[in-house]
Amino acid sequence: MTGKSWTISEQDDIIELVLDVPGRRHNVLSSEVLGDLDQALADLETRSARGLLIRSGKPEGFVVGADVHEFRRILDAARAAELTRAGQKVLERLSRLPYPSVAVIHGPCLGGGLELALACSYRVACDDERTSLALPEVKLGIHPGFGGTVRLPALIGALPALSLMLGGRAVSGRRARSLGLVDMCVPERHLDAAARALVRDVPPKARPSWRQAWAGAPFLRPYLGAFMQWRLKAKVDCRQYPAPCRIASLWARQAPFETEALSCAEMLVTPASRHLVHLFEVAEDLKRRAREHVHGIRRVHVVGAGVMGADIAAWAALKGFHVSLQDRAPEVLARAIKRAHGLFAERLKGRAAEAARDRLMPDMRGGALSRADLVIEAIVEDRDAKRALFAQIEAQVAERTIIATNTSSLPLDELAVGLAVPGRLVGLHFFNPVAKMPLIEVIGGTATAPVTLAAMRSFAVSLDRLPVDVKSSPGFLVNRALMPYLLEAVTLAEEGVALADIDDAATDFGMPMGPIALADTVGLDVCLAVAQTLGAALDMPVPALLARKVEAGTLGKKSGQGFYSYPRPRRFSLRRRLPPDSAISERLIMRLVNEAARCLRLSIVADADMVDIGLVYGTGFAPFRGGPLGYAAALGTVEVRARLLELTQRHGLRFTPDDAWSQGDLLARRSANL
């Protein structure tokens, strides 16, 4: 029997149900797919069989979750509840089949896909690096809605289940086996045999250990739930991201499927979830379009083994590229290689870590340049030094080789002067720390060839990073929009506002770190250099306090003293913490928002979505607010302009509203996505 998405076949009294959603690279559980599954299960309930295997017909993986695109069409909680309850009923039907069922998992098994697998009697996973299992719904501002909050704790115990759901993190097949999430983890060639053995042997179903079962005892749940809520509130603001706190509450109350469905539906239509879903869709679309071009890069040569160069080289090697790392100082190279080996040991195991070490080669003399497909320059931020280096590189590399610069602020047209083939020069602006920051600005100059830009987008996705196209201009997008925010924080400090009050106002708004702490982390000398570069180009005044700090050698965290002293003592007080001053956050955020709108008006990026995705992934701008222009669209352009005019009257011309706010259609697309 064949349906639109599901195909049923039978061999040796074992039924196979294969999911292959037409027109999709990955399987998703849309309403239509779940409806087709319900019809298939109705047929299977009437059959006599030894067991059922559920597998994917996609080579890329099992199921990556519910169809996120459907979320946007859900406008009210009642409709959302209908859909979540319908999904629960289908999976409940699966769990009640008169014979055992086995989910045969390879590649990603995420969200609703894992909930589908949890409804089966058994699960067998492929033992390779592509396999990952997760319930990542919290990242979209919701929680599992197809029974995951009920079935997962019952399978592996409360504490491991809550850890997976609260963090949304993925686990490998092996780790899933150790948790009891899957019954077997075997090489791909043994997947079918292992699944059939489970059907034939029908072993006892997995259960949590007695320790884990004890933690979930009904009389302990309210106390453990209260403790978890307390711990969560120390890490996440439940006003901004309510999903983790809701998960803990559902578990503590032993909430049934119906309550889970209603709760998930309620959260699905909140502004925070809609913003997070929209950002997710934009990011996935960027990746999809980038993958359409084959980058053809196998060998990467990095020049400059400082912190950025070393980390770029290490990350590229970790992601499977053959990398050579060049620096004139042997001690710098040695530190870089040691740092890379530490990353490999942390992220990889056994042979995979050894293979990554083999792919990274120190190269003081640049002997690997002639074989490189891509050269990434990561030396000092000096125009003349970079030009001289590019001249040397161009003389040694092949004609097809792409030359990339990791400059954070210098215009590409100025760096391309003197190159025989300027079309192959491109900006690849990574962010520090490279292993954690998910964004890469792909910067094109006037002469940069379109094929070069396409290759770099594809390369960025191969590094598991998000590529955002940015026009070459002072500060590009992220630094240009972030710098006014940081400088306003320094201005507030110069006015005598307490440093902790400045940082608290920003984190209360939703920023991951306060601007004063961020400046110390980046380095005050780096902040000053970028501010002076942008200040000269954009008429952006630099507070004298920042220059005085740098002159005194108090450079931030790296020198042990900046605005704060390091290591910073933990703040502890018995006094009740007062709410942060909204006037402080208004000054900080509105400067960033105003500059973000200016970047859009000047076409530094293509549209408002690219501004938001760049500043959410590049600066951590409160994702639940949708990015700076998502936040502005929610306020309304008239309100934003009024606030900026008021700030201009109170604090000076640096708050003058950009002309963007007078262009009614500029944010129209972003407003429509709310």
Side-chain angles (χ1 to χ4, degrees):
M1 171 185 162
T2 302
K4 291 181 181 179
S5 302
W6 298 90
T7 302
I8 299 176
S9 61
E10 188 170 348
Q11 180 183 352
D12 300 330
D13 207 26
I14 296 176
I15 299 171
E16 286 197 7
L17 186 56
V18 179
L19 175 61
D20 191 348
V21 180
R24 294 286 195 121
R25 183 176 179 225
H26 296 281
N27 286 324
V28 294
L29 297 181
S30 65
S31 298
E32 184 179 6
V33 171
L34 286 169
D36 290 347
L37 175 59
D38 195 36
Q39 292 180 19
L41 292 172
D43 175 42
L44 296 181
E45 286 171 341
T46 64
R47 295 196 186 193
S48 175
R50 176 170 286 185
L52 169 69
L53 307 186
I54 297 182
R55 65 170 79 245
S56 165
K58 305 280 189 189
E60 288 81 6
F62 187 65
V63 182
V64 296
D67 187 352
V68 175
H69 298 297
E70 285 191 339
F71 291 0
R72 188 171 303 286
R73 298 195 291 271
I74 301 172
L75 301 179
D76 60 84
R79 174 57 180 156
E82 287 178 19
L83 295 176
T84 50
R85 283 196 293 258
Q88 286 182 349
K89 288 176 182 177
V90 175
L91 298 192
E92 181 66 14
R93 192 171 204 170
L94 170 62
S95 72
R96 294 183 181 277
L97 283 176
Y99 39 80
S101 56
V102 182
V104 186
I105 300 167
H106 72 279
C109 175
L110 310 176
L114 181 52
E115 291 179 287
L116 170 67
L118 289 170
C120 293
S121 311
Y122 308 102
R123 288 146 297 281
V124 56
C126 182
D127 180 15
D128 66 20
E129 61 184 17
R130 297 180 305 137
T131 299
S132 60
L133 299 89
L135 291 174
E137 286 86 349
V138 290
K139 297 178 181 179
L140 298 180
I142 58 175
H143 57 68
F146 290 164
T149 65
V150 178
R151 288 194 176 96
L152 187 62
L155 178 66
I156 66 174
L159 298 181
L162 287 168
S163 176
L164 288 178
M165 289 189 289
L166 294 173
R169 62 188 176 88
V171 295
S172 66
R174 289 187 183 182
R175 178 58 180 156
R177 176 68 187 92
S178 69
L179 288 170
L181 182 54
V182 300
D183 299 273
M184 301 179 73
C185 182
V186 298
E188 186 172 10
R189 64 183 181 277
H190 297 316
L191 265 180
D192 187 69
R196 290 175 180 274
L198 285 170
V199 168
R200 292 191 185 98
D201 299 339
V202 194
K205 292 183 180 180
R207 290 288 183 269
S209 68
W210 69 267
R211 289 188 180 86
Q212 293 295 347
W214 176 256
F219 72 91
L220 276 180
R221 284 196 184 209
Y223 304 102
L224 189 55
F227 174 73
M228 286 184 174
Q229 293 275 11
W230 176 73
R231 287 290 301 272
L232 278 171
K233 288 174 182 177
K235 296 180 179 180
V236 63
D237 190 331
C238 292
R239 297 169 303 165
Q240 301 169 352
Y241 300 100
C245 297
R246 188 70 65 87
I247 289 171
S249 174
L250 288 171
W251 175 81
R253 292 184 287 136
Q254 293 183 272
F257 290 113
E258 175 75 10
T259 305
E260 178 200 73
L262 292 174
S263 174
C264 182
E266 176 189 328
M267 302 190 72
L268 193 60
V269 295
T270 60
S273 178
R274 299 191 81 81
H275 281 309
L276 292 169
V277 167
H278 177 67
L279 291 170
F280 173 81
E281 286 184 304
V282 173
E284 290 302 301
D285 187 55
L286 274 176
K287 294 175 187 176
R288 179 188 58 77
R289 285 189 277 125
R291 290 191 190 101
E292 291 174 357
H293 185 94
V294 178
H295 56 69
I297 294 166
R298 292 180 60 251
R299 298 185 177 276
V300 179
H301 184 84
V302 180
V303 183
V307 172
M308 286 302 295
D311 286 358
I312 291 168
W315 189 254
L318 183 141
K319 289 298 175 180
F321 294 91
H322 293 273
V323 183
S324 44
L325 178 59
Q326 182 179 356
D327 199 282
R328 292 178 296 184
E331 65 276 10
V332 173
L333 263 180
R335 281 197 303 268
I337 297 299
K338 182 179 179 181
R339 183 183 177 96
H341 288 183
L343 176 69
F344 301 153
E346 176 188 341
R347 298 292 185 106
L348 303 171
K349 303 297 179 186
R351 292 180 181 177
E354 183 180 346
R357 289 194 292 269
D358 290 342
R359 288 193 295 267
L360 179 60
M361 178 183 70
D363 182 14
M364 272 191 65
R365 301 184 183 279
L369 272 169
S370 61
R371 301 188 300 276
D373 303 305
L374 169 66
V375 179
I376 302 175
E377 166 272 311
I379 65 169
V380 64
E381 192 76 345
D382 179 271
R383 181 183 297 101
D384 294 335
K386 290 181 187 291
R387 282 179 180 172
L389 176 61
F390 292 152
Q392 296 174 23
I393 290 171
E394 195 173 38
Q396 299 178 63
V397 299
E399 187 176 343
R400 58 178 172 74
T401 303
I402 296 172
I403 301 174
T405 173
N406 186 48
T407 180
S408 59
S409 60
L410 297 174
L412 255 69
D413 290 349
E414 296 180 12
L415 297 179
V417 172
L419 282 177
V421 187
R424 64 177 169 186
L425 179 66
V426 65
L428 276 186
H429 184 207
F430 292 77
F431 293 86
N432 190 26
V434 172
K436 293 182 179 179
M437 295 298 287
L439 185 78
I440 295 178
E441 288 181 317
V442 179
I443 303 142
T446 304
T448 307
V451 67
T452 301
L453 291 169
M456 290 301 91
R457 294 183 205 110
S458 180
F459 173 68
V461 172
S462 297
L463 294 179
D464 196 24
R465 292 294 174 262
L466 193 63
V468 171
D469 278 6
V470 182
K471 186 173 73 175
S472 181
S473 61
F476 310 131
L477 170 65
V478 172
N479 282 343
R480 177 169 179 158
L482 183 64
M483 193 50 60
Y485 165 80
L486 294 179
L487 295 182
E488 192 62 28
V490 177
T491 300
L492 283 159
E494 208 169 37
E495 292 172 3
V497 179
L499 301 179
D501 289 346
I502 299 169
D503 280 351
D504 285 349
T507 55
D508 187 70
F509 177 83
M511 304 299 274
M513 178 187 290
I516 298 295
L518 177 60
D520 270 358
T521 302
V522 170
L524 301 188
D525 53 338
V526 175
C527 288
L528 180 62
V530 175
Q532 288 173 336
T533 300
L534 293 180
L538 307 175
D539 192 23
M540 187 184 295
V542 181
L545 177 59
L546 183 59
R548 290 200 301 271
K549 287 278 186 184
V550 174
E551 288 171 8
T554 53
L555 307 181
K557 202 169 184 178
K558 61 187 174 185
S559 68
Q561 178 68 48
F563 284 99
Y564 295 113
S565 297
Y566 296 89
R568 289 180 66 185
R570 288 191 175 186
R571 293 169 60 188
F572 178 77
S573 174
L574 294 176
R575 291 187 303 171
R576 184 178 178 183
R577 179 172 169 255
L578 296 174
D581 188 346
S582 60
I584 297 174
S585 61
E586 181 93 332
R587 285 176 60 176
L588 296 170
I589 300 304
M590 294 313 290
R591 282 205 69 185
L592 191 156
V593 167
N594 200 33
E595 194 61 41
R598 183 174 291 118
C599 289
L600 177 60
R601 178 176 60 81
L602 297 174
S603 299
I604 290 172
V605 290
D607 55 37
D609 283 340
M610 293 303 100
V611 172
D612 282 340
I613 208 79
L615 292 171
V616 166
Y617 284 87
T619 72
F621 187 97
F624 75 97
R625 296 186 187 273
L629 297 187
Y631 173 63
L635 290 176
T637 55
V638 173
E639 174 66 15
V640 171
R641 193 170 189 279
R643 292 189 185 190
L644 285 167
L645 285 171
E646 184 179 351
L647 288 167
T648 303
Q649 292 174 352
R650 289 184 178 184
H651 303 290
L653 295 176
R654 63 186 182 277
F655 287 100
T656 301
D658 188 74
D659 291 343
W661 306 113
S662 301
Q663 300 177 12
D665 62 339
L666 195 66
L667 297 179
R669 180 181 171 191
R670 191 63 183 91
S671 300
N673 287 322
L674 293 178

